[in-house]
Amino acid sequence: MASIVSDGVSNFARLLADANAEALSGSTVTALGRDEQPILNGVPYRVFRQSIDLCERRREGIFFSGPDLAREVAGLLHAKMPVGGLALDPTCGIGDLLLAYAEHLPIEATLEATVDSWGRQLAGIEKRAELAAMARARLVVLARARGRFVEPVARIDGCFPAIIVGNMFEESERIAQADGLLFNPPFGQTSDHTVSDWGTGQLSASALCLDSLVAKRAPAAPIAAVLPEVLRCGTRYARFRTRLADAGLGGHFASRGRFDAWTNVDVFTTLLESGVSYLWQLPAIVSATVGNRFTVRVGSVVPHRHADEGRWYRFACAKTVPAWSTGFVPETGRRFQGTTHVPPFVVVRRTSSPGDRKRAVGAIILGDSPVAVENHLIVLTPNDGRFESCAELLAVLARDATTDYLNRVIRCRHLTTSSVMGIPWVATDE
Ligand SMILES: C[S@@+](CC[C@H](N)C(=O)[O-])C[C@H]1O[C@@H](n2cnc3c(N)ncnc32)[C@H](O)[C@@H]1O
């Protein structure tokens, strides 16, 4: 492994052999995080670029997402997926999108069980066999690194059986089985097609691939994608956009600028879903937020640091406040000398992961005297002092749209006051 990093070996086949060895025996992975691990970070793409000339990569559209874009796209899809659902990337390359999606999947008791379980939730199609093999090896390495597993694996070729070498245009059945799709297709131009109703002549391969994917997918399967801006803005693709809208697909978009240094293509990310009435509009500017109506602070009591001294107060802590309570009066108390809060107010648990069903779990605190609050809770005091405002806030926090918003803005495992202040204030489901 050290050789790859230190002498920049420009041989993808050799790197693949190393990746397989790493996946089988795991000599170094467990000591390294995801982004320092050569097989998991930019090294495979770098070695691949050194191995295949740019003209061929442009002709075949072989440019990989990289971790930042991949995590954004995977996050968009994961927020919409059923637990245990099957995510498929029909042009998976070395698996950047699949790896980013696998970061959301749970670790099982053993490496074998983890690979087995991920193998039932991850599928891919890739034209080039060496890229599909690298995707499979990297996923095993990721499972090792995340689970800190050291046990060997008997055979790598049995792992991730749903990542196959193939042509997405010929894989209707496989695509129809997916609950959701990750998508970063080739971006180049091609006249090798039979389309006539929405375009003629040279067309972007990405449009042809997307068109085929839309036709083959299960009707409810969302598509989280990186696509070239020309599909969204180009007049040549107006009929293509109408075709997507007519197929009942819609979704917001976010422009992401130039894809990378080699492609010279501007891209956007999007989540396409059935039954959304607008296609590629900007999210509405949100003027009303939780922060306009509530003062948002972190609780001040750090139990192991603050001495039990000062005035006696009722004490709210993450362990004792019942989730979604509409009126909890803390029975236990403690002495405290710092900031306290006058009910009614809402507390939200700070610990919150992108995989949680609800990201902002709240409860209303009532009582007739100030309350000391543990620092594992965020305190939201209504500016108008009314209980009714707290009840409305609880409804806002429980909305799926609030969880979606938090999943977009805060990927780590703790909510921040600014992420909570930015929650859009829309009390009823639209
Ligand atoms: C732009 S890359 C994206 C790879 C990966 N999805 C990512 O985001 O890093 C597109 C990949 O699709 C593969 N590809 C191109 N046409 C394909 C087809 N018809 N079926 C399956 N794979 C294809 C290419 O070999 C390339 O690896």
Side-chain angles (χ1 to χ4, degrees):
M1 178 60 55
S3 64
I4 297 161
V5 188
S6 58
D7 65 16
V9 176
S10 62
N11 184 329
F12 193 76
R14 176 153 164 218
L15 182 69
L16 179 56
D18 281 348
N20 279 324
E22 196 69 75
L24 287 169
S25 66
S27 52
T28 60
V29 286
T30 50
L32 296 169
R34 151 81 146 106
D35 293 329
E36 299 99 56
Q37 166 54 240
I39 298 298
L40 299 180
N41 64 21
V43 170
Y45 190 15
R46 197 173 76 216
V47 174
F48 185 71
R49 287 198 304 269
Q50 291 165 349
S51 305
I52 306 275
D53 106 324
L54 183 57
C55 289
E56 182 174 350
R57 289 199 290 125
R58 287 210 168 119
R59 196 173 54 248
E60 304 273 331
I62 314 175
F63 299 94
F64 303 137
S65 294
D68 293 345
L69 207 50
R71 281 177 177 142
E72 180 184 331
V73 171
L76 287 173
L77 185 69
H78 185 258
K80 298 287 171 178
M81 287 288 278
V83 175
L86 178 68
L88 176 132
D89 179 347
T91 56
C92 73
I94 57 172
D96 281 10
L97 295 176
L98 292 171
L99 261 85
Y101 188 88
E103 288 179 346
H104 295 276
L105 299 181
I107 297 289
E108 307 295 333
T110 63
L111 177 59
E112 198 184 331
T114 305
V115 168
D116 209 47
S117 153
W118 289 13
R120 278 180 266 112
Q121 297 174 70
L122 299 173
I125 306 168
E126 168 55 50
K127 256 180 163 172
R128 296 179 77 115
E130 78 277 28
L131 301 186
M134 179 61 93
R136 286 192 290 266
R138 292 175 87 208
L139 282 164
V140 178
V141 173
L142 178 66
R144 257 193 200 294
R146 280 196 50 211
R148 302 195 168 274
F149 296 119
V150 290
E151 71 253 32
V153 169
R155 283 177 47 219
I156 194 81
D157 49 2
C159 301
F160 295 100
I163 298 177
I164 60 141
V165 181
N167 179 349
M168 66 159 283
F169 291 98
E170 296 163 5
E171 292 291 343
S172 306
E173 249 177 65
R174 196 172 288 275
I175 291 171
Q177 281 164 9
D179 297 298
L181 298 146
L182 297 158
F183 199 40
N184 171 15
F187 298 154
Q189 299 285 313
T190 177
S191 48
D192 182 15
H193 62 80
T194 54
V195 168
S196 56
D197 43 354
W198 55 265
T200 49
Q202 290 264 318
L203 290 173
S204 170
S206 63
L208 297 165
C209 290
L210 181 56
D211 193 47
S212 167
L213 190 63
V214 167
K216 291 180 172 56
R217 81 193 166 118
I223 304 172
V226 187
L227 295 168
E229 287 279 15
V230 68
L231 263 53
R232 190 177 67 77
C233 315
T235 45
R236 290 200 65 213
Y237 293 93
R239 277 188 289 158
F240 178 67
R241 292 190 289 275
T242 305
R243 186 174 167 86
L244 292 179
D246 288 349
L249 278 176
H252 291 306
F253 79 96
S255 288
R256 289 291 170 248
R258 190 169 165 168
F259 181 72
D260 66 13
W262 301 276
T263 44
N264 200 14
V265 173
D266 282 337
V267 295
F268 67 101
T269 53
T270 186
L271 180 76
L272 289 169
E273 292 180 276
S274 294
V276 175
S277 57
Y278 48 83
L279 180 65
W280 296 336
Q281 286 179 5
L282 277 175
I285 294 165
V286 174
S287 53
T289 62
V290 166
N292 300 143
R293 293 166 183 241
F294 286 76
T295 305
V296 183
R297 279 168 293 200
V298 173
S300 350
V301 181
V302 184
H304 64 271
R305 195 182 309 147
H306 289 128
D308 207 2
E309 288 170 357
R311 229 185 98 182
W312 188 94
Y313 293 100
R314 291 182 186 278
F315 178 48
C317 69
K319 282 206 178 111
T320 52
V321 176
W324 304 113
S325 171
T326 51
F328 179 67
V329 182
E331 283 176 7
T332 56
R334 61 160 289 151
R335 296 186 180 281
F336 186 53
Q337 288 174 320
T339 306
T340 54
H341 307 270
V342 179
F345 59 86
V346 172
V347 289
V348 169
R349 293 178 191 168
R350 280 175 78 197
T351 306
S352 155
S353 295
D356 293 348
R357 209 170 58 78
K358 299 282 179 195
R359 287 293 306 265
V361 177
I364 301 175
I365 305 295
L366 296 179
D368 50 12
S369 58
V371 177
V373 180
E374 190 194 23
N375 75 328
H376 288 142
L377 295 169
I378 293 176
V379 182
L380 298 99
T381 310
N383 295 341
D384 61 10
R386 295 170 61 237
F387 167 80
E388 289 76 8
S389 299
C390 294
E392 277 180 61
L393 174 60
L394 227 51
V396 169
L397 297 178
R399 297 177 70 228
D400 288 343
T402 296
T403 295
D404 288 350
Y405 159 81
L406 290 168
N407 281 339
R408 279 200 304 278
V409 300
I410 186 116
R411 304 299 307 166
C412 58
R413 287 164 186 233
H414 278 98
L415 298 178
T416 57
T417 51
S418 59
S419 64
V420 170
M421 283 163 71
I423 293 172
W425 185 272
V426 186
T428 52
D429 273 315
E430 66 280 19

